[in-house]
Amino acid sequence: MKNYSSSPRLNNHSTDRNSRKRFWSSALGLRFSLRDYGFCMATLLLFCLGSLFYQLNGGPPKVLLEIRQYLGESTFVDDHGPPTPRELPFPSQVIYNRVGKCGSRTVVLLLRILAEKHQFNLVSSDIHNKTRLTKHEQVDLMRNISTIPQPFLYTRHVHFLNFTRFRIEQPVYINIIRDPINRFLSNYFFRRFGDWRGEQNHLVRTPQMKDDERYLDINVCIMENYPECSNPRLFYIVPYFCGQHPQCREPGVWAVERAKQNVIENFLLVGILEELEDVLLLLERLLPHYFSDVLSIYKSPAFWKMGNLTGTVKKHVPTLEALQVLYQRMKYEYDFYNFIRDQFHLTKKKIGLKSASQNSNHEPDFLLKIPKLNLGV
């Protein structure tokens, strides 16, 4: 009997069958791979088209919404997403470009207490005598301000900075001003004799001032037209709101009108020192995340004991004749001050606070008592 299993012919047939199996298996695998590849490409094309529809129509296409509704609203991000980020108050960027001798030291003392209480970042600059900046200095300062962790309140003696001019997000501004003559008198005597915080602090601030200038009678300064008592140095408040343009430092209608426009467009509130409690109350209403409880802190005995040390010493009022001359020289300052006072009273009316001042003539308080005084601007 022949052994067919060992026949060469049978072995050749077996080898052929195995080869054909391997061939068809390989071809079938290739066919499946092409089909899977085509499916992936079709899926990718579908999502690309969906993304395009989403962007063109302002939302996802209807089919994707139906798919999500079919699959259910819950997603992995919904159930296992990252922790909710800290919600910032609005506004979260505030600048107080404080005007000199307008109660700014009192307000800064309050801000230090409030920053600790409400956990916002208070940055108070120690630069007092550089309010006008070059273009590069403006950009550097604005970029530095923009890097402060929010919410923040930045304060410095500096003229208005226009952030949007350099394509930087514009913070909200606040400020306080006072009667221009009262501000001038406070500054005049403060430079010479300081305040109640220390008997010799004026010598530190103005070490180069000679005795003949330090003890110069203010009436002589005004009537004899000393530089300190005449323009452009009397034109002090308006540039804080007009800005960094060179013409902002020239007494005139252009600077005043530009300052008014900036107040309307960029300042949340500009108060007047003569009604400081109302200013604080409005700040508490408008910026509660910064100024909540500020009025109760301001009225507390502990703060009054500390705040009274900021009063200027040896201050006295010039003669009536000197006041008349000074008032005429400061007509643009009073134009702006009267505008701010009207705006402040209008804001109080909108909030529901009754104005404490019923004066419609817009004259300095210490001049109102003098009869028949012609002070036309």
Side-chain angles (χ1 to χ4, degrees):
M1 181 179 291
K2 293 183 179 179
N3 188 359
Y4 291 97
S5 62
S6 58
S7 172
R9 184 177 179 181
L10 289 177
N11 287 339
N12 290 336
H13 284 292
S14 177
T15 303
D16 292 342
R17 284 197 299 270
N18 291 336
S19 298
R20 285 196 295 271
K21 285 182 179 180
R22 286 196 295 270
F23 170 78
W24 286 112
S25 297
S26 176
L28 189 62
L30 179 61
R31 187 180 65 177
F32 283 138
S33 298
L34 290 174
R35 187 179 65 178
D36 292 341
Y37 178 76
F39 177 78
C40 291
M41 293 302 296
T43 304
L44 180 61
L45 178 62
L46 176 63
F47 278 99
C48 289
L49 292 174
S51 176
L52 179 62
F53 288 142
Y54 188 99
Q55 297 178 43
L56 292 177
N57 300 324
K62 185 177 179 180
V63 62
L64 294 183
L65 292 176
E66 292 177 351
I67 292 174
R68 173 159 185 174
Q69 184 176 5
Y70 176 77
L71 295 176
E73 294 294 333
S74 178
T75 65
F76 181 83
V77 175
D78 295 332
D79 299 333
H80 308 283
T84 304
R86 179 187 178 187
E87 293 186 5
L88 292 174
F90 180 82
S92 59
Q93 303 177 74
V94 180
I95 293 181
Y96 170 33
N97 62 322
R98 58 189 193 267
V99 181
K101 304 311 297 174
C102 290
S104 60
R105 284 180 295 159
T106 298
V107 176
V108 170
L109 288 176
L110 288 168
L111 286 172
R112 289 172 181 168
I113 299 172
L114 292 169
E116 184 175 354
K117 179 180 178 65
H118 299 309
Q119 297 299 300
F120 63 86
N121 293 304
L122 173 66
V123 180
S124 181
S125 174
D126 294 329
I127 301 174
H128 301 284
N129 299 317
K130 192 171 180 57
T131 58
R132 310 165 187 173
L133 308 177
T134 66
K135 182 178 179 179
H136 293 295
E137 289 172 337
Q138 292 178 54
V139 173
D140 288 343
L141 177 57
M142 288 186 285
R143 286 176 177 171
N144 289 336
I145 292 174
S146 300
T147 60
I148 301 173
Q150 300 179 28
F152 71 78
L153 193 151
Y154 178 84
T155 175
R156 172 180 167 173
H157 292 296
V158 65
H159 295 168
F160 172 77
L161 297 167
N162 188 352
F163 284 66
T164 55
R165 177 189 173 194
F166 301 98
R167 299 183 180 180
I168 303 175
E169 183 180 358
Q170 181 84 358
V172 168
Y173 277 83
I174 60 173
N175 216 322
I176 301 174
I177 66 173
R178 70 190 293 188
D179 177 275
I181 289 181
N182 279 333
R183 194 218 68 82
F184 164 75
L185 296 178
S186 179
N187 184 68
Y188 184 90
F189 293 105
F190 176 73
R191 292 183 65 247
R192 287 161 171 79
F193 309 112
D195 54 30
W196 294 107
R197 290 179 297 175
E199 295 181 358
Q200 303 297 323
N201 64 2
H202 57 286
L203 299 177
V204 176
R205 290 182 177 272
T206 54
Q208 304 299 326
M209 184 179 289
K210 298 179 181 179
D211 286 346
D212 57 346
E213 182 183 359
R214 190 177 303 278
Y215 295 100
L216 175 65
D217 185 274
I218 190 170
N219 295 293
V220 175
C221 181
I222 296 171
M223 300 307 294
E224 296 187 12
N225 207 21
Y226 278 63
E228 186 177 359
C229 300
S230 60
N231 284 312
R233 291 180 64 175
L234 290 178
F235 194 64
Y236 183 85
I237 297 175
V238 172
Y240 274 87
F241 301 87
C242 180
Q244 299 289 335
H245 193 284
Q247 200 170 346
C248 288
R249 303 190 288 271
E250 299 177 8
V253 175
W254 186 91
V256 173
E257 292 304 315
R258 180 160 179 167
K260 292 178 181 178
Q261 190 65 28
N262 280 335
V263 168
I264 294 173
E265 294 178 354
N266 298 291
F267 284 79
L268 180 65
L269 180 69
V270 181
I272 54 175
L273 186 61
E274 292 80 6
E275 301 174 37
L276 180 58
E277 289 192 11
D278 287 347
V279 175
L280 298 178
L281 184 57
L282 284 180
L283 287 172
E284 188 171 355
R285 297 277 187 89
L286 298 173
L287 296 171
H289 43 286
Y290 291 97
F291 289 94
S292 182
D293 299 324
V294 64
L295 200 55
S296 59
I297 296 173
Y298 174 72
K299 291 182 176 181
S300 65
F303 183 81
W304 269 98
K305 183 179 180 181
M306 178 172 50
N308 283 338
L309 297 177
T310 63
T312 302
V313 301
K314 297 186 179 182
K315 182 169 62 175
H316 61 272
V317 179
T319 64
L320 174 59
E321 184 181 8
L323 287 174
Q324 288 178 301
V325 173
L326 197 60
Y327 190 65
Q328 293 294 332
R329 291 175 184 169
M330 304 179 77
K331 63 179 182 178
Y332 295 114
E333 290 277 278
Y334 272 101
D335 182 1
F336 182 73
Y337 172 76
N338 293 335
F339 167 80
I340 292 299
R341 184 161 65 173
D342 287 343
Q343 292 293 313
F344 179 68
H345 289 165
L346 181 62
T347 303
K348 290 203 301 182
K349 185 177 180 180
K350 291 179 179 178
I351 297 294
L353 297 177
K354 185 177 180 181
S355 176
S357 174
Q358 302 299 326
N359 171 40
S360 60
N361 294 324
H362 295 189
E363 296 175 351
D365 294 339
F366 51 79
L367 295 178
L368 292 176
K369 301 177 182 178
I370 304 173
K372 299 180 181 179
L373 185 61
N374 182 12
L375 293 173
V377 177

